[in-house]
Amino acid sequence: MRRTHFTRISAKVFTEKLFGEAMASKQSIVLPEAEDPRVVEAAVRIQKQGIADVTLLGNGDKILKLAKERGVAGQLKNINILDPETDTRVERYAIEMAKKRDHKGVTVEEAFTIMQRDTPIYGTMMVACGDADGMVSGACHTSADTIRPALQLIGNVDDSIVSSLMFMLLPDNVVVYADCALQVSPDAEELGIIAAASASTASAFGIEPHVAMLSFATGLSNTGPLVDKVRSAVSTAKSLVSPAVPVEGPLQYDAAVNREIALAKGAELRSDSNVLVFPDLNCGNITYKAVQQSTGCVVMGPILQGLRRPVNDLSRGCSVDDIVTTTAVTAVQALQCRAVAC
């Protein structure tokens, strides 16, 4: 599918493009926490709107009871429901999981038992074995319960690291923040890889990436290990992206998002930056939460990048809308993954 890319895009247009592309591709997404009422309601909405083909994991009777409580029982008939305790594929998955975890001493019997009681791991194996295009989890599990199996059983793309980004739907533009949720203290090379991955993800979602590597100093105004790390990361990122993708830094936040301020500080930007890469998790997580709380903007994420196939993590405080939106994001990632033959 040919994409139109924007250096500036409103939240409304971005959201319409996101859902439109998900509906056009109709990927298979597994939701492993189907004994949570929010997940059941979200699944019905996702299927009804044609955002993805949904598979729910859990006990069928319990799921039906939740659906009745939410008033959506009549709409379950078009949704695939699998119970890991009775699904015939569990033996095949157990064999594959044991192979992947053999170095940790996991046997087929142990893998079988784990998957029958742990639906996120079962869902992860569905994705790893190609029986689902992606997975969304975390409504009632920790981030570790979602991310660790994905790292262990799906794995990362060659020469990459798994990182995360946020789509910040600001009042007049959508920008990318990375990494705000996963990599705690990346070194210069890792930071450059995160920047390149974030530019690629932004492009996959219709944003023409202009990357800024953030620091407490702009240009040559300061030196020292913290600034030098960012300066080195700029070089790494430039070596990994197309020459057409601007990667600039080190830049302070105000200079990164405002060309006039950048010029006053001695930095010339092609345009205001829209992919903002923070030097560590402390800076990224604090900033995204501060902006979210101060502006009331919608935040999509964390979106994981660098996995061979897409898995995304929800907050345990997520809403039905959050689950629907994250599923749409995951579907678009799955389409992109197919396009580059992950």
Side-chain angles (χ1 to χ4, degrees):
M1 179 183 294
R2 186 182 179 89
R3 293 184 178 87
T4 302
H5 291 79
F6 300 85
T7 54
R8 296 188 71 84
I9 182 172
S10 70
K12 182 176 184 293
V13 172
F14 179 81
T15 303
E16 289 174 351
K17 282 173 59 64
L18 168 66
F19 282 96
E21 191 159 347
M23 287 186 280
S25 67
K26 206 71 179 292
Q27 301 294 293
S28 169
I29 306 298
V30 59
L31 304 178
E33 300 167 305
E35 295 180 18
D36 184 301
R38 295 167 298 172
V39 174
V40 174
E41 184 175 342
V44 169
R45 281 178 49 183
I46 292 161
Q47 197 74 33
K48 185 176 181 179
Q49 295 176 27
I51 295 167
D53 284 327
V54 178
T55 296
L56 290 172
L57 297 185
N59 178 276
D61 292 337
K62 291 181 180 179
I63 293 170
L64 179 59
K65 181 181 178 182
L66 290 174
K68 287 179 178 177
E69 292 173 359
R70 289 273 171 155
V72 295
Q75 300 173 64
L76 279 181
K77 59 181 180 296
N78 296 321
I79 296 176
N80 187 32
I81 298 175
L82 294 178
D83 186 344
E85 292 190 7
T86 58
D87 186 30
T88 57
R89 286 174 291 192
V90 65
E91 186 173 347
R92 173 164 63 93
Y93 291 163
I95 292 170
E96 288 300 316
M97 180 179 173
K99 289 179 182 178
K100 293 175 181 290
R101 304 297 293 160
D102 178 66
H103 64 289
K104 292 293 185 180
V106 176
T107 65
V108 173
E109 292 75 16
E110 288 170 335
F112 190 97
T113 300
I114 290 169
M115 279 189 293
Q116 284 196 313
R117 69 166 187 258
D118 193 319
T119 53
I121 290 181
Y122 195 89
T124 303
M125 283 305 301
M126 289 182 68
V127 177
C129 293
D131 293 330
D133 297 313
M135 183 180 81
V136 175
S137 183
C140 52
H141 289 83
T142 66
S143 293
D145 289 335
T146 298
I147 297 171
R148 188 183 296 115
L151 292 171
Q152 295 172 343
L153 303 174
I154 297 173
N156 56 305
V157 177
D158 293 341
D159 301 321
S160 184
I161 60 173
V162 177
S163 60
S164 73
L165 59 76
M166 305 287 188
F167 287 114
M168 308 292 294
L169 277 60
L170 301 174
D172 61 344
N173 194 21
V174 176
V175 299
V176 170
Y177 285 4
D179 180 342
C180 301
L182 197 57
Q183 293 294 332
V184 176
S185 184
D187 61 27
E189 182 179 7
E190 291 168 337
L191 195 59
I193 293 171
I194 291 169
S198 299
S200 178
T201 301
S203 182
F205 285 84
I207 297 172
E208 183 179 327
H210 288 223
V211 181
M213 310 290 287
L214 299 179
S215 177
F216 66 85
T218 294
L220 300 175
S221 67
N222 211 321
T223 59
L226 296 179
V227 182
D228 292 343
K229 181 182 88 165
V230 175
R231 192 170 286 119
S232 178
V234 171
S235 298
T236 298
K238 285 182 175 180
S239 72
L240 296 173
V241 301
S242 162
V245 176
V247 180
E248 296 168 290
L251 290 166
Q252 291 164 286
Y253 190 103
D254 57 351
V257 299
N258 189 312
R259 292 178 68 195
E260 292 182 2
I261 294 176
L263 186 62
K265 294 186 176 187
E268 293 189 19
L269 307 185
R270 294 192 211 175
S271 71
D272 297 344
S273 304
N274 54 17
V275 178
L276 305 175
V277 182
F278 294 89
D280 59 39
L281 185 59
N282 218 18
C283 295
N285 191 271
I286 290 170
T287 302
Y288 108 77
K289 288 183 181 295
V291 171
Q292 181 186 36
Q293 292 302 315
S294 299
T295 68
C297 73
V298 173
V299 177
M300 294 184 185
I303 307 303
L304 301 185
Q305 53 188 7
L307 289 168
R308 291 185 180 277
R309 296 185 180 184
V311 169
N312 281 311
D313 179 39
L314 297 163
S315 165
R316 278 171 285 175
C318 65
S319 66
V320 172
D321 285 343
D322 293 333
I323 300 169
V324 173
T325 299
T326 304
T327 299
V329 169
T330 307
V332 173
Q333 284 183 301
L335 181 65
Q336 179 72 4
C337 191
R338 288 189 177 197
V340 298
C342 285

